Amino acid sequence: MHEIIQITISGPDRPGLSAALMEVLARYKTPVLDISQAVLHETLSLGLLIEVPPEAESSPLLKDLLYQAHTLGVQLEFQPISAEQYEHWVQAQGKQRHIITLLGRQLTAEHIARLTQIVFANGLNIDFITRLSGRLSLETIRHSPETACVEFSVRGTPHDKTAMRAAFLEMSKDLEVDIGLQEDNAYRRNRRLVAFDMDSTLIQAEVIDELAKEAGAGEEVARITERAMRGEIDFEQSLRQRVALLAGLPEAALEAVSHRLPLTEGASRLIVNLKRLGYKIAILSGGFTYFGNQLQTQFGIDYLCANELEIHDGRLTGGLSGPVVDGEHKARRLREIANREHISLEQVIAVGDGANDLPMLEMAGLGIAFHAKPKVRAGAQHAISNLGLDSILYFIGLRDREAT
């Protein structure tokens, strides 16, 4: 007969506490079937599932454990588990699992309540909750909150995954937080390639709009750009229309514009950490190689694919050299890079803001619409609308203390 007991220990944490408790169990050669420990604000919560050895059934094992807990100043509770309950728990390990990432400038009980209600409504059970963001002082929280992130490991199959994503998207809009939902599998823990759009993703500008200002055609080009990013007109057609308005612009204007292009919040920190972790990085952009080359040099970008402005006698001709890098071209190039690097598309992260980014966002294992138009947010698997690019580090499970 199997005697299975669940043990819950709680109280002030201190070095050597777990070792002292486990030493008691070790004396009786006790099999440990499961173990989980967490420390919240210097308070320990330790859970054990043990099988009492047949030769120890009539021994003072539990009495000795209670005495040790009393000596250590912690609370200890026992709960017998039937063999049927244990086997039911074992069978549950084959269920699908997901990781839900909740992040914002600051998280409150309202955010967590809304998220957990959505989880419950979809028939999922929360197994673990982990904070990924660093500890903040009260002064920081009150006056200049930065980023807070909590990760939920949930078990089960959602009743309706599309509806669940829609509910998270609505919550993001209402409460100004970002939420990621990923299947918890080997690919999620083994991403290897990140592909970025450039304009309004890595940099906080649409370069062609800035060039148009230099050419005196700013308002007209901006109108066409906005329609293209919303997906209202064909990207290639819109790009050729806009580039034609740059005809005659001096080549020197490219350098002048490059000096006033700000990086997006968190871009530098994100790329530095991705490179440190061994990721390959690509820029796949409907923008221009002149500006992509500068980012490639600055950050050591591995791959660059963008449009080439045609220049003759030191001035832009209003045309392009080579094929237009549109949405399909980006997706095709992404697949080529993944094949070259021997990387599954499931191991790829793609990040962009425009309608022309959707093909590569849909192709990647983790596609992220970054501060994107509503149509793009709705069509992408994930969206970041409230924080900087470095919040993507949370999506790959990186804690603040592990980042530089």
Side-chain angles (χ1 to χ4, degrees):
M1 179 179 178
H2 297 280
E3 185 179 3
I4 300 170
I5 298 176
Q6 181 172 311
I7 303 170
T8 304
I9 299 127
S10 60
D13 185 35
R14 69 177 190 226
L17 192 151
S18 296
L21 292 167
M22 294 304 296
E23 191 276 331
V24 175
L25 296 176
R27 289 204 304 265
Y28 294 95
K29 302 186 186 309
T30 308
V32 177
L33 305 177
D34 197 16
I35 183 170
S36 179
Q37 177 176 309
V39 177
L40 179 64
H41 198 255
E42 301 182 355
T43 299
L44 171 80
S45 177
L46 172 63
L48 294 164
L49 196 62
I50 67 168
E51 181 181 11
V52 179
E55 63 272 19
E57 287 180 358
S58 58
S59 71
L61 185 157
L62 300 182
K63 180 180 177 181
D64 287 354
L65 200 59
L66 278 167
Y67 178 78
Q68 184 70 287
H70 175 74
T71 302
L72 295 167
V74 295
Q75 301 296 315
L76 189 148
E77 296 179 359
F78 300 114
Q79 180 181 349
I81 304 295
S82 69
E84 292 77 14
Q85 288 174 314
Y86 176 76
E87 291 302 328
H88 178 75
W89 173 76
V90 170
Q91 294 303 315
Q93 69 183 328
K95 287 189 176 181
Q96 190 178 36
R97 290 180 180 273
H98 289 83
I99 295 295
I100 300 173
T101 310
L102 172 64
L103 54 156
R105 298 293 178 188
Q106 186 176 15
L107 297 181
T108 68
E110 182 182 9
H111 299 131
I112 297 172
R114 178 97 170 253
L115 184 143
T116 52
Q117 287 164 6
I118 295 171
V119 169
F120 174 71
N122 278 271
L124 302 178
N125 187 68
I126 299 172
D127 283 343
F128 304 104
I129 303 176
T130 307
R131 174 177 50 82
L132 299 184
S133 52
R135 300 174 183 176
L136 297 178
S137 71
L138 291 176
E139 282 300 306
T140 300
I141 293 172
R142 287 171 182 157
H143 302 296
S144 58
E146 297 174 356
T147 305
C149 178
V150 176
E151 181 181 272
F152 299 77
S153 175
V154 302
R155 174 167 32 92
T157 303
H159 296 322
D160 186 336
K161 199 168 185 177
T162 300
M164 186 175 180
R165 287 190 184 279
F168 283 150
L169 193 62
E170 186 67 21
M171 174 184 164
S172 297
K173 180 181 175 183
D174 292 346
L175 301 182
E176 297 183 344
V177 291
D178 295 316
I179 305 168
L181 172 65
Q182 303 177 63
E183 187 175 343
D184 190 10
N185 54 31
Y187 294 121
R188 185 192 75 85
R189 299 184 294 275
N190 196 30
R191 310 288 188 197
R192 285 292 175 265
L193 168 65
V194 185
F196 294 99
D197 176 44
M198 182 170 63
D199 296 20
S200 297
T201 300
L202 281 178
I203 57 176
Q204 287 182 302
E206 289 289 332
V207 170
I208 196 165
D209 290 355
E210 298 303 312
L211 291 174
K213 292 174 185 176
E214 296 288 323
E219 291 185 6
E220 187 174 357
V221 165
R223 283 195 297 270
I224 300 173
T225 298
E226 182 67 17
R227 292 184 63 201
M229 291 299 100
R230 290 198 302 262
E232 295 175 1
I233 55 177
D234 174 74
F235 178 81
E236 179 173 354
Q237 177 189 2
S238 72
L239 182 63
R240 293 193 183 279
Q241 287 177 5
R242 289 175 288 170
V243 171
L245 294 169
L246 304 180
L249 186 67
E251 184 178 2
L254 300 181
E255 183 177 359
V257 167
S258 71
H259 291 316
R260 65 172 188 255
L261 295 177
L263 286 172
T264 297
E265 176 193 357
S268 180
R269 180 172 180 263
L270 172 61
I271 295 176
V272 166
N273 278 282
L274 291 175
K275 296 291 288 184
R276 181 176 62 87
L277 294 170
Y279 281 72
K280 295 294 183 179
I281 300 177
I283 293 177
L284 306 179
S285 173
F288 305 113
T289 54
Y290 179 91
F291 305 94
N293 285 333
Q294 294 184 337
L295 290 174
Q296 187 171 34
T297 300
Q298 181 178 356
F299 291 113
I301 304 296
D302 300 285
Y303 295 95
L304 170 64
C305 178
N307 295 295
E308 187 74 40
L309 288 165
E310 189 176 73
I311 300 173
H312 184 67
D313 290 337
R315 292 185 179 273
L316 276 64
T317 67
L320 295 168
S321 299
V324 168
V325 180
D326 59 7
E328 295 305 320
H329 190 114
K330 289 185 180 187
R332 186 166 58 252
R333 184 68 178 127
L334 180 60
R335 185 184 296 276
E336 290 171 356
I337 294 171
N339 288 339
R340 178 172 177 177
E341 296 289 342
H342 306 290
I343 294 171
S344 165
L345 288 171
E346 288 290 337
Q347 295 173 275
V348 173
I349 301 172
V351 189
D353 72 297
N356 62 320
D357 295 311
L358 278 173
M360 74 172 183
L361 299 186
E362 292 167 354
M363 176 181 289
L366 177 60
I368 301 172
F370 181 75
H371 290 254
K373 307 296 185 293
K375 177 181 177 179
V376 183
R377 285 202 306 271
Q381 307 163 41
H382 305 84
I384 294 176
S385 301
N386 299 286
L387 299 176
L389 270 177
D390 55 341
S391 57
I392 291 173
L393 295 172
Y394 294 131
F395 279 60
I396 62 176
L398 199 70
R399 301 169 187 267
D400 277 355
R401 66 172 181 263
E402 298 166 333
T404 58

